[in-house]
Amino acid sequence: MQNSEISLQVQGLCASYGVTPAIRSVSLEVKRGTIVTIIGANGAGKSTIIKTICGLVKPTAGSVRLFGEEVTGLPTHVLVKKGISVVPEGRRLFTKMTFKENLELGAYARSDRMAVRRDLERVLNLFPDLKDRLSTVVGRFSGGQQQMVAVARALMNEPRIMLLDEPTIGLAPAVVDRISELVVEISRSGVDILLVEQNAEIALEIASYAYILEAGQVIAQDAASTLAKSEAVQKAYMGI
Ligand SMILES: Nc1ncnc2c1ncn2[C@@H]1O[C@H](COP(=O)(O)OP(=O)(O)OP(=O)(O)O)[C@@H](O)[C@H]1O
Ligand SMILES: [Mg+2]
């Protein structure tokens, strides 16, 4: 069944590395206009879900639908053209290239160079601190700034949905706050968000719906505000 209110629908997704299963029958969805989060500890399978959705890991079972279209197992560059953007774990920037070159690489799938130039302006408006540093080599930026570059690069693809893999990990609290504000701002501008996080506090604060992943399986799901109040969640994921 097609449902135009659902941007991303994952059903019964399984993936393995060799013979070891990493995710088992994961089902989740992102509704239009929402921020959805997947919370899980180290090794729970969060990155594997993102990689399997975007064609970097082959699913052994299950399906992925993007804007109502079956896209299971399609290669990343095809999905990018369909409006998905990924901010990968560990950022994966070209640290020897400039900020501007990194942004231009984010738009590689687009052919309208005029529109890309306009978008460069629009995207830069979200990053006032970095606006004047287009010709700086990204390796000279701080960790927080590099994370901003990774988000900016993902925006250059004009995404309709963005998948973010632990964008706040290892960053100072003030930078974490800035990044979570940025994610909310991007969501408000009309981009749907799937956010994977170990930092449950931040994720549950900005998301409307959340899934909890343990050992490759979704063990709970609910409105983020409800999970944030759950004693079990607080104990396991929020250090309360
Ligand atoms: N390339 C790989 N080859 C073999 N096993 C892998 C590979 N990548 C991940 N795994 C294993 O799959 C399981 C899920 O890993 P995954 O990276 O998806 O977890 P994660 O929730 O993203 O963890 P983290 O919070 O540390 O990023 C783990 O047991 C991990 O050791
Ligand atoms: Mg990971």
Side-chain angles (χ1 to χ4, degrees), residues 99-117:
F99 178 27
K100 182 155 187 254
E101 286 163 339
N102 272 273
L103 290 179
E104 284 166 349
L105 281 166
Y108 76 93
R110 297 171 59 187
S111 47
D112 183 350
R113 302 323 288 180
M114 283 283 282
V116 169
R117 219 167 300 146

Side-chain angles (χ1 to χ4, degrees), residues 155-225:
L155 281 170
M156 287 299 292
N157 176 46
E158 273 192 310
R160 294 165 69 195
I161 185 164
M162 190 183 272
L163 316 184
L164 297 111
D165 193 344
E166 298 201 55
T168 69
I169 197 161
L171 301 177
V175 187
V176 170
D177 287 347
R178 175 70 194 106
I179 286 181
S180 61
E181 281 165 22
L182 187 62
V183 173
V184 171
E185 217 169 322
I186 292 168
S187 162
R188 292 208 176 114
S189 77
V191 181
D192 306 322
I193 307 274
L194 179 62
L195 168 70
V196 154
E197 266 295 348
Q198 270 185 60
N199 186 340
E201 213 165 323
I202 286 289
L204 293 176
E205 195 179 303
I206 66 171
S208 53
Y209 201 81
Y211 295 86
I212 307 231
L213 192 72
E214 248 178 57
Q217 285 181 299
V218 173
I219 55 143
Q221 64 181 77
D222 213 328
S225 55

Side-chain angles (χ1 to χ4, degrees), residues 23-79:
I23 54 169
R24 286 177 289 169
S25 201
V26 168
S27 296
L28 59 92
E29 54 189 43
V30 178
K31 291 203 170 72
R32 280 272 157 88
T34 65
I35 301 177
V36 171
T37 186
I38 305 172
I39 289 160
N42 258 331
K46 304 180 297 297
S47 299
T48 304
I49 293 179
I50 295 218
K51 287 177 188 161
T52 312
I53 291 171
C54 71
L56 293 169
V57 168
K58 276 253 169 285
T60 51
S63 69
V64 179
R65 294 180 81 85
L66 186 65
F67 310 118
E69 186 190 350
E70 164 85 48
V71 297
T72 318
L74 288 183
T76 312
H77 69 272
V78 175
L79 294 169

